[in-house]
Amino acid sequence: MNLFHVIGFGLKVGHLFWMLCCWVISLISMNWFGDGGIEDKSPLLGSSVGDSEKTKMAVKKKKMWFWNKISNSCLKIQTLWHHFMGSIRFGKTWWRKLLVAWVIGWVLLSFWTFWYLTSQAMEKRKETLASMCDERARMLQDQFNVSLNHVQAMSILISTFHHGKNPSAIDQRTFSEYTDRTAFERPLTSGVAYAVRVLHSEREQFEMQQGWRIRRMDTLEQNPVHKDDYNPEALEPSPLQDEYAPVIFAQDTISHVVSLDMLSGKEDRENVLRARESGKGVLTAPFPLLKTNRLGVILTFAVYKRDLPPNATPDERIEATNGYLGGVFDIESLVEKLLQQLASKQDILVNVYDTSNSSHPISMYGSNVAEDGLEHVSLLNFGDPFRKHEMRCRFKQKPPWPWLSIGTSIGILVIAMLVAHIFHATISRIHKVEEDFHKMEQLKKKAEAADIAKSQFLATVSHEIRTPMNGVLGMLHMLMDTELDVTQQDYVRTAQASGKALVSLINEVLDQAKIESGKLELEEVRFDLRGILDDVLSLFSGKSQQKGVELAVYISDRVPEMLIGDPGRFRQIMTNLMGNSIKFTEKGHILVTVHLVEEILETIEFETETSPRNTLSGFPVADKRKSWEKFKAISSDAHRSFSPSASEINLIVSVEDTGVGIPLEAQSRIFTPFMQVGPSISRTHGGTGIGLSISKCLVGLMKGDISFSSIPKVGSTFTFTTVFGKGLRMADRKSQSIAFEFRDMAAVVVDDRSTRAKVSRYHFQRLGLHVEVVPDLDHVLRFLKSSVTTVKMVFIEQEIWNRDCGISYVFTKKLQKSYSVDAPKLFLLASSVESSRSDAPISGFFAPTVIMKPLRASMLAATLQRVMGIGNKETPLNREIPALSLRNLLLGRKILIVDDNNVNLRVAAGALKKYGAEVVSTDSGIKAVSLLKPPHKFDACFMDIQMPEMDGFEATRRIREMEREINGRIQSGEEASEDEQRNRTASSWHVPILAMTADVIQATHEECLKCGMDGYVSKPFEAEQLYREVSRYFQSLSDSDS
């Protein structure tokens, strides 16, 4: 029997003991109730003696009933007790062992707590010492760098005004006054002196000019004297040597060094030689200063001739040396001044050491007397790589007694004893909890099974509803191609919109079911992010123009053109966010921005609060920095979220609007499924309340996170991150053909809002235009006159154009006078239909062309081609595929359609026949296998996936097996039949098979490839997707003719 069994048995025994006590208490209370509560009641007035006797007999019966019930219960408890105790042998010694183990364990825990808290206090003390020491070291280093920079600046001054002027503009008096007045700029220097370089051949002439002899200083180094005994006249002349470095200028504080030869001292000589070879400031080792006899160092800069090249060699520097500027640092006094600036300077002891020689460090400041042995070392960098310095700090006082650790450990012991005392009562109901737990597990399994069944039911029902709905939408789409009057067209459009809304709702419910069942998966295909956002803009362009809300997209240039991921799910996220924004925004703007996360993290520290003037529409917005801050915190957490691999990029997307905002009380449940801000929202704006929940899940699957910042009556900004793969650039992108037509053309954007101008410039630069931004119309005329290149287009914001019609009219007249030919085309950028109506009386050639926002590359290219009269006006861009292109691909093609639903067959056949294809329909996979058995004359096959008897996947597998069989016969050289040779158009048989499904997410690309399919298209057919899939296998008739 192990310890856990003992504990379990003890809990059960305690439970039974507690139940016994409860029954005893109940017995006593019932007995009291029977004797006093019933018998003491007097009979009612007017009752007879017989009635009183009857009442007494009734009371006795009740008492007997209570006693019998209690006795039976006690007997049951006693039987259960004996049965339980008889089944398990349990000695009293186990209780002692358990109690001893309990006490020992908590005693050990108490000691461990004391040790842990004490060590934590010690670590805190170390951190405090390190912080204080690092602060002092940083302040000392910063002030030293300030002094170093000013000394270096003085070397340039001497080179310019002493050696660069003849006669010199500096003498000892000027130098002394200047250095005294500017001493506050060098807070750590005790004085500054300048020694000129004198060759031996120039010594006699130099001494005659100066009126004193060059004296040696090594005798002072060997025999230091007190400042009162210092007499420069008593110093010996400098010995004969190749060159000298006598001090000619010195600050008053160190004027006693004038005439001393710096090259005659050992430390100074090494300092001077290193300074002129390296061209940088160098430091000496600590040494006693003259007169004061205190420890100090000298910072030396070489003064060069003005014609020294920047990349000079050491020999060239030596040759070009004019002299040496030195700054004297009295370390002891300077560190003392620094420490006096800090209020807590008395808490720690500071020592500064020169550790250039690690075995024999030199103490530059401080003493070694301290009661605390804890020490922290902070490195000092004074700019000289040959000299190493460090600051050592210690507390003056010993650490206090760890009263917190002592009190906590004693408290733990006391609590442990109390817990041991109430041990039985605390865990008496564990057995019941175990039973409840098992029941809860069973209920949980049932609930999970019911949830899975519900999700499967939703998925099945959603798919079954969507299939006829797609037939309805397909038929409505075909009906739109017939001759209808205006009323009929309006009815059909309304029915189409309602059907699409229902399909969208079904898709959302299905996605929510997939999310709950964990079966939602993402695709990995290459896609154009800019094209996706252009498509999403097209969805909401009509609503934004009706409301007068400006809708715009801006994508950073650092975001690649092609990405690898799930474009459909990304489009779904953007549609949900932008749909909410357009729904709740009645004025202002909606702006979508896409950047790399690295860009945001680099600029977030410098982001200032956005003023209304710097927004897209001039309305205030919710500060998106609040949502950015969350992502910054995640990125600092071991760079967990924002550290993708080399083949991935991390995007951050923001959707900013100036709508009604989200109330503060509703912001906590904004991502909860089927929850809306309030009951009035659903009635006013509609919606199911699951769009944001689905978006949050999709963002999580894309390895990202989503957040928002919202201010009621101001607006909201939703921001999310996502990880995509880096896609290869497509050299044959169709957009490049249009970009070529406008490449190197110059254009001017007239806009006085920086954000809006930045967005406009982005869209025009996508077409290859060179764009210049000016704030008003007057600047346009000045720019046109001064511009070297010919400006072809002028894009004017409608707000500026309508601000003053008189100015706009005068601008047009001036433009007419300036340009008789090749005048730039004028374009107005308008956000709504009402704003696009210009009030200026302008007509003719200079009448501006209105471009309706939102700006998209395809729309801009088509408008500019039409107005400028250049390029192919029907060139497709960003998936806007005209019917003529599909007709060129499908005309004369024989296509087999396989679907068990007759309505879907008619819809698919009608859509393909509209583009000129010859269509053959069949309703089962078995018939499809028979029709596609080689040889056949079909160019492609569109096959439904879910069919009875044989689904689309199985039919495709059998077709591929037949093709492999006949291809093997051909490759082996066997004689093929005449029909096979006549119908075989290539070296092997392979008919393109495209899956048709009402849910393109279910038929994933991997599943299609696994069974041998070549791709998939959604039902009903969309021209964009149909063209994208068919163009992979068919060549257009125009291309084949050419």
Side-chain angles (χ1 to χ4, degrees):
M1 184 182 297
N2 54 27
L3 183 61
F4 292 100
H5 290 146
V6 174
I7 295 175
F9 176 72
L11 296 177
K12 294 177 180 179
V13 171
H15 179 211
L16 294 176
F17 181 76
W18 173 253
M19 291 178 63
L20 181 62
C21 294
C22 292
W23 280 113
V24 171
I25 295 173
S26 300
L27 176 63
I28 296 173
S29 61
M30 288 297 103
N31 190 21
W32 172 84
F33 178 77
D35 292 337
I38 298 178
E39 288 186 342
D40 290 346
K41 289 185 179 180
S42 300
L44 297 175
L45 293 176
S47 61
S48 61
V49 178
D51 294 335
S52 177
E53 291 295 332
K54 292 180 180 179
T55 303
K56 291 181 179 180
M57 291 298 296
V59 169
K60 290 181 179 180
K61 289 181 179 180
K62 289 182 179 180
K63 291 175 67 176
M64 292 298 297
W65 178 80
F66 281 119
W67 277 107
N68 291 333
K69 185 175 181 180
I70 294 173
S71 300
N72 292 333
S73 300
C74 292
L75 289 174
K76 290 180 180 179
I77 294 174
Q78 187 177 5
T79 303
L80 180 63
W81 175 268
H82 286 293
H83 175 74
F84 188 77
M85 291 298 294
S87 61
I88 300 177
R89 295 183 179 180
F90 193 83
K92 295 182 179 180
T93 56
W94 283 105
W95 290 107
R96 297 189 184 95
K97 294 179 180 179
L98 179 61
L99 182 60
V100 171
W102 174 269
V103 172
I104 292 176
W106 282 99
V107 167
L108 294 177
L109 180 62
S110 174
F111 280 109
W112 179 85
T113 303
F114 175 79
W115 169 82
Y116 177 76
L117 293 178
T118 304
S119 62
Q120 288 293 105
M122 184 60 66
E123 289 295 327
K124 183 67 176 178
R125 185 174 173 83
K126 290 181 181 178
E127 292 177 2
T128 303
L129 179 62
S131 175
M132 298 173 68
C133 191
D134 291 342
E135 178 187 13
R136 286 154 176 75
R138 184 172 58 254
M139 291 182 63
L140 178 61
Q141 186 169 305
D142 291 344
Q143 293 193 14
F144 184 87
N145 291 335
V146 171
S147 301
L148 183 145
N149 293 335
H150 282 282
V151 172
Q152 187 176 12
M154 287 186 62
S155 67
I156 300 174
L157 184 142
I158 292 174
S159 175
T160 304
F161 292 97
H162 179 65
H163 296 285
K165 301 289 185 179
N166 191 12
S168 171
I170 302 176
D171 56 10
Q172 169 59 27
R173 178 181 178 184
T174 305
F175 185 86
S176 176
E177 290 180 358
Y178 175 79
T179 53
D180 287 340
R181 292 182 179 181
T182 59
F184 68 93
E185 296 179 342
R186 303 178 301 278
L188 297 185
T189 57
S190 301
V192 182
Y194 176 67
V196 68
R197 182 186 184 187
V198 178
L199 300 177
H200 178 67
S201 58
E202 302 170 349
R203 175 175 179 174
E204 184 176 354
Q205 181 181 0
F206 174 81
E207 291 179 342
M208 292 178 62
Q209 291 177 352
Q210 297 295 329
W212 39 259
R213 302 190 65 184
I214 301 175
R215 296 177 174 85
R216 63 191 304 171
M217 70 180 306
D218 53 351
T219 55
L220 287 175
E221 292 179 351
Q222 299 172 1
N223 302 305
V225 297
H226 193 266
K227 60 181 181 179
D228 296 333
D229 301 331
Y230 176 74
N231 182 13
E233 298 297 333
L235 299 178
E236 300 178 4
S238 178
L240 299 181
Q241 50 192 14
D242 294 338
E243 58 178 286
Y244 310 90
V247 178
I248 59 173
F249 303 142
Q251 193 174 346
D252 283 344
T253 56
I254 57 171
S255 59
H256 54 275
V257 300
V258 174
S259 76
L260 294 181
D261 180 15
M262 296 294 103
L263 291 179
S264 62
K266 180 179 179 182
E267 289 290 339
D268 289 303
R269 181 179 181 85
E270 294 179 358
N271 216 31
V272 165
L273 295 180
R274 280 201 300 124
R276 72 180 187 182
E277 287 182 7
S278 63
K280 300 178 181 179
V282 297
L283 288 170
T284 63
F287 65 94
L289 299 176
L290 298 180
K291 297 184 70 175
T292 62
N293 206 24
R294 295 166 64 95
L295 281 181
V297 295
I298 296 178
L299 173 67
T300 305
F301 280 96
V303 179
Y304 299 103
K305 297 177 181 178
R306 301 178 64 185
D307 56 352
L308 180 66
N311 55 349
T313 62
D315 293 335
E316 291 176 343
R317 289 194 184 96
I318 294 173
E319 187 66 24
T321 302
N322 282 329
Y324 316 96
L325 182 68
V328 181
F329 293 82
D330 187 345
I331 297 299
E332 296 184 15
S333 61
L334 297 179
V335 176
E336 187 64 31
K337 292 179 182 178
L338 173 66
L339 297 180
Q340 288 177 357
Q341 298 176 12
L342 300 173
S344 59
K345 67 183 183 67
Q346 295 85 2
D347 295 340
I348 63 174
L349 295 174
V350 175
N351 296 318
V352 179
Y353 289 88
D354 184 322
T355 59
S356 301
N357 185 357
S358 58
S359 59
H360 297 86
I362 303 174
S363 177
M364 302 171 64
Y365 173 80
S367 63
N368 294 323
V369 179
E371 297 182 1
D372 190 6
L374 185 63
E375 183 180 65
H376 179 77
V377 178
S378 296
L379 299 179
L380 299 172
N381 183 9
F382 291 145
D384 188 351
F386 292 93
R387 311 300 308 179
K388 297 180 181 179
H389 303 82
E390 62 183 33
M391 178 181 287
R392 301 178 183 176
C393 305
R394 288 179 293 177
F395 284 109
K396 288 184 177 181
Q397 306 296 333
K398 291 183 178 180
W401 280 87
W403 293 114
L404 177 63
S405 304
I406 297 173
T408 304
S409 58
I410 293 176
I412 289 176
L413 280 177
V414 172
I415 293 174
M417 298 300 106
L418 292 176
V419 170
H421 180 69
I422 60 174
F423 184 74
H424 298 291
T426 305
I427 58 175
S428 60
R429 303 183 64 87
I430 283 190
H431 180 67
K432 189 175 185 311
V433 170
E434 289 178 353
E435 292 181 353
D436 293 341
F437 174 74
H438 291 304
K439 291 180 181 179
M440 289 175 62
E441 276 191 333
Q442 297 297 326
L443 293 175
K444 178 185 175 187
K445 291 179 181 179
K446 293 180 180 179
E448 290 176 348
D451 186 63
I452 294 174
K454 180 203 71 172
S455 301
Q456 292 175 348
F457 172 77
L458 286 176
T460 304
V461 171
S462 299
H463 183 78
E464 293 301 326
I465 295 176
R466 183 166 30 215
T467 298
M469 277 305 304
N470 285 326
V472 172
L473 292 176
M475 285 299 180
L476 290 174
H477 187 72
M478 295 173 63
L479 183 60
M480 287 290 294
D481 295 334
T482 62
E483 295 182 0
L484 303 173
D485 57 27
V486 177
T487 303
Q488 291 171 335
Q489 288 182 355
D490 181 61
Y491 290 164
V492 174
R493 289 194 186 97
T494 303
Q496 253 188 339
S498 300
K500 289 181 178 179
L502 179 57
V503 171
S504 176
L505 175 59
I506 294 171
N507 288 337
E508 288 183 347
V509 173
L510 180 61
D511 286 340
Q512 185 66 30
K514 288 183 178 180
I515 290 171
E516 292 176 356
S517 61
K519 294 182 179 180
L520 191 62
E521 297 180 356
L522 300 181
E523 290 183 322
E524 290 291 333
V525 296
R526 188 169 60 180
F527 68 96
D528 182 3
L529 177 68
R530 291 165 176 82
I532 291 289
L533 290 180
D534 280 353
D535 292 345
V536 178
L537 282 181
S538 301
L539 293 177
F540 303 104
S541 60
K543 289 185 179 179
S544 65
Q545 292 169 5
Q546 291 174 3
K547 289 186 171 184
V549 176
E550 186 161 355
L551 185 60
V553 166
Y554 174 79
I555 302 178
S556 170
D557 294 336
R558 294 174 60 179
V559 177
E561 294 181 9
M562 302 301 295
L563 302 174
I564 297 177
D566 193 328
R569 292 305 184 181
F570 180 78
R571 186 200 306 265
Q572 184 178 1
I573 296 172
M574 297 306 303
T575 303
N576 286 339
L577 295 180
M578 294 180 66
N580 287 340
S581 294
I582 200 71
K583 185 190 301 182
F584 297 105
T585 303
E586 299 297 331
K587 60 182 179 179
H589 70 269
I590 299 170
L591 175 62
V592 179
T593 59
V594 184
H595 295 83
L596 297 182
V597 171
E598 291 79 3
E599 293 182 76
I600 300 303
L601 295 180
E602 290 171 2
T603 60
I604 191 172
E605 297 291 345
F606 309 102
E607 281 283 339
T608 58
E609 186 174 355
T610 304
S611 64
R613 186 64 187 166
N614 292 332
T615 62
L616 186 67
S617 60
F619 285 82
V621 296
D623 191 1
K624 59 187 175 184
R625 294 178 302 163
K626 295 181 180 179
S627 59
W628 285 356
E629 287 294 336
K630 178 180 178 181
F631 299 117
K632 181 186 176 186
I634 295 175
S635 68
S636 62
D637 184 12
H639 303 281
R640 171 177 56 86
S641 292
F642 301 143
S643 299
S645 62
S647 61
E648 295 178 335
I649 62 169
N650 206 330
L651 299 183
I652 183 167
V653 185
S654 294
V655 180
E656 170 189 289
D657 66 60
T658 56
V660 297
I662 304 173
L664 298 178
E665 65 274 9
Q667 292 186 6
S668 60
R669 63 176 186 270
I670 199 67
F671 293 111
T672 304
F674 302 104
M675 295 291 292
Q676 291 195 341
V677 172
S680 61
I681 295 298
S682 180
R683 294 192 298 267
T684 305
H685 300 281
T688 59
I690 60 176
L692 287 177
S693 171
I694 294 173
S695 299
K696 182 178 178 65
C697 176
L698 294 178
V699 169
L701 291 176
M702 294 179 181
K703 304 177 184 179
D705 198 1
I706 187 170
S707 181
F708 71 95
S709 174
S710 183
I711 302 176
K713 299 182 181 180
V714 174
S716 304
T717 301
F718 280 81
T719 304
F720 68 91
T721 59
T722 178
V723 177
F724 287 120
K726 294 180 180 179
L728 299 177
R729 293 180 177 267
M730 297 178 62
D732 57 345
R733 291 185 65 203
K734 296 180 176 59
S735 60
Q736 291 186 352
S737 62
I738 286 187
F740 246 167
E741 298 165 2
F742 304 104
R743 183 158 297 170
D744 298 330
M745 286 189 181
V748 178
V749 173
V750 185
D751 198 342
D752 55 354
R753 287 207 188 103
S754 59
T755 302
R756 188 169 59 189
K758 182 180 179 181
V759 173
S760 300
R761 181 201 288 256
Y762 154 72
H763 287 285
F764 295 130
Q765 286 179 341
R766 289 178 64 186
L767 302 181
L769 295 174
H770 291 294
V771 182
E772 194 70 28
V773 178
V774 296
D776 51 43
L777 296 176
D778 293 336
H779 285 79
V780 176
L781 296 174
R782 288 198 289 268
F783 178 78
L784 293 177
K785 292 179 181 179
S786 61
S787 177
V788 178
T789 59
T790 302
V791 177
K792 295 292 185 180
M793 291 162 273
V794 178
F795 301 95
I796 308 171
E797 273 294 331
Q798 185 73 35
E799 178 185 351
I800 296 178
W801 183 262
N802 291 339
R803 189 175 295 165
D804 192 334
C805 296
I807 295 177
S808 303
Y809 181 76
V810 172
F811 167 75
T812 310
K813 289 300 181 183
K814 290 182 180 180
L815 202 62
Q816 290 177 354
K817 293 180 181 179
S818 303
Y819 291 92
S820 58
V821 293
D822 294 336
K825 298 288 185 180
L826 299 183
F827 298 88
L828 294 186
L829 305 179
S831 300
S832 63
V833 179
E834 289 76 8
S835 66
S836 64
R837 299 188 181 95
S838 175
D839 297 330
I842 301 170
S843 61
F845 178 81
F846 289 92
T849 301
V850 177
I851 298 178
M852 294 299 299
K853 295 182 180 180
L855 301 179
R856 304 179 300 281
S858 58
M859 178 268 294
L860 288 175
T863 303
L864 297 183
Q865 285 174 342
R866 175 174 53 82
V867 176
M868 303 297 292
I870 60 175
N872 181 10
K873 300 175 184 177
E874 294 183 354
T875 301
L877 180 65
N878 287 337
R879 303 177 178 83
E880 294 187 3
I881 309 300
L884 181 59
S885 300
L886 271 174
R887 180 171 294 275
N888 289 335
L889 287 174
L890 297 177
L891 184 61
R893 305 289 185 181
K894 189 174 182 180
I895 298 177
L896 176 65
I897 298 180
V898 186
D899 200 318
D900 62 322
N901 189 294
N902 188 41
V903 177
N904 289 338
L905 276 177
R906 295 177 59 189
V907 171
L912 293 175
K913 288 178 180 179
K914 182 175 67 172
Y915 299 120
E918 179 185 351
V919 178
V920 177
S921 302
T922 184
D923 59 356
S924 71
I926 298 175
K927 295 178 181 180
V929 173
S930 177
L931 290 173
L932 291 178
K933 181 179 180 180
H936 59 78
K937 296 182 180 181
F938 291 102
D939 296 299
C941 172
F942 290 83
M943 184 173 298
D944 188 24
I945 292 179
Q946 296 182 358
M947 294 184 294
E949 296 182 3
M950 182 183 295
D951 60 16
F953 293 130
E954 180 62 26
T956 303
R957 292 188 189 97
R958 296 193 181 185
I959 293 169
R960 295 305 183 211
E961 288 177 1
M962 293 188 302
E963 290 176 346
R964 283 193 293 269
E965 180 181 352
I966 192 170
N967 290 334
R969 288 166 48 197
I970 294 173
Q971 293 175 1
S972 63
E974 296 182 10
E975 186 70 22
S977 67
E978 182 179 352
D979 291 337
E980 293 174 356
Q981 292 292 341
R982 183 174 63 252
N983 292 297
R984 186 166 56 89
T985 58
S987 60
S988 61
W989 283 95
H990 183 89
V991 60
I993 299 178
L994 302 177
M996 294 191 307
T997 177
D999 183 9
V1000 297
I1001 301 174
Q1002 287 183 347
T1004 61
H1005 192 59
E1006 292 78 7
E1007 291 174 320
C1008 294
L1009 293 179
K1010 185 177 180 180
C1011 71
M1013 291 184 176
D1014 299 286
Y1016 59 82
V1017 292
S1018 61
K1019 295 186 295 187
F1021 291 155
E1022 297 287 344
E1024 170 193 330
Q1025 187 186 24
L1026 187 61
Y1027 180 86
R1028 183 173 66 244
E1029 294 296 332
V1030 170
S1031 61
R1032 293 164 54 192
Y1033 311 105
F1034 297 159
Q1035 186 179 15
S1036 121
L1037 294 180
S1038 59
D1039 295 340
S1040 60
D1041 294 341
S1042 62

